[in-house]
Amino acid sequence: MKVQPTALQGKDERETADANQKNRATNKPREDGRRRTTLPSKSIYSLFDNDGRLDVFGMRKLVYERGTHPIERKITWKFLFGVYPEKSTTEERKELDRQMASQYQWMKHSWKQRFPWAATMRTQCDFELSLAIQKHNEDQREMEAANPPTDTYSEVRNKAESMLLENKIIQSN
């Protein structure tokens, strides 16, 4: 089943579909050993108009009827989850992707500034990361217990002494 790009697709979507089709034409295994698969005859990419606007109703119908093809999942999920507005053009989606990438980089940078010890950690999975964070928190608590801040310690001691004094005054009356 060969998918032919149509005039109804946006220019970038047609180019993507062409490139994907050329890459899959040989049906050779990839580096990871999996076989390439071809797009179904009715592709989500065929639902784009010349400006790159997607017929969202048609996409939802295709997804309901046959699911999503692995090649189509990235863009399909972005529309289904509302990342992309329903009537967005190709250019608007590109700009939105740039904004989200910039926001992600800003958040990542601020996270590294806030938690410099975690920025250099290397973990294989989320579970290892959570264990490392837990270990760090335990180490911090141990350090604080071993070296209590003098100001806080003296404030607590003074408050305790004043409470004892108030208690003695109340009892003597």
Side-chain angles (χ1 to χ4, degrees), residues 13-24:
E13 282 80 9
R14 282 193 302 271
E15 290 171 0
T16 302
D18 287 342
N20 288 338
Q21 190 64 34
K22 287 176 187 173
N23 290 339
R24 290 185 309 276

Side-chain angles (χ1 to χ4, degrees), residues 54-122:
L54 178 65
D55 173 15
V56 178
F57 176 77
M59 179 205 52
R60 290 176 189 267
K61 185 178 175 187
L62 275 177
V63 169
Y64 177 77
E65 290 173 353
R66 65 163 175 84
T68 59
H69 191 274
I71 294 169
E72 302 170 329
R73 282 189 187 139
K74 182 176 179 181
I75 195 161
T76 302
W77 284 114
K78 285 184 177 182
F79 275 105
L80 290 175
F81 284 132
V83 174
Y84 291 152
E86 289 187 0
K87 296 297 178 186
S88 62
T89 64
T90 303
E91 289 302 317
E92 292 169 343
R93 289 192 300 274
K94 282 183 178 181
E95 180 60 30
L96 189 59
D97 285 339
R98 281 191 288 272
Q99 289 173 358
M100 287 188 292
S102 175
Q103 183 181 12
Y104 170 77
Q105 291 300 325
W106 177 83
M107 288 172 31
K108 185 176 173 183
H109 176 74
S110 63
W111 177 78
K112 284 182 178 182
Q113 294 296 318
R114 182 177 267 174
F115 306 106
W117 57 270
T120 58
M121 290 175 35
R122 298 285 183 253

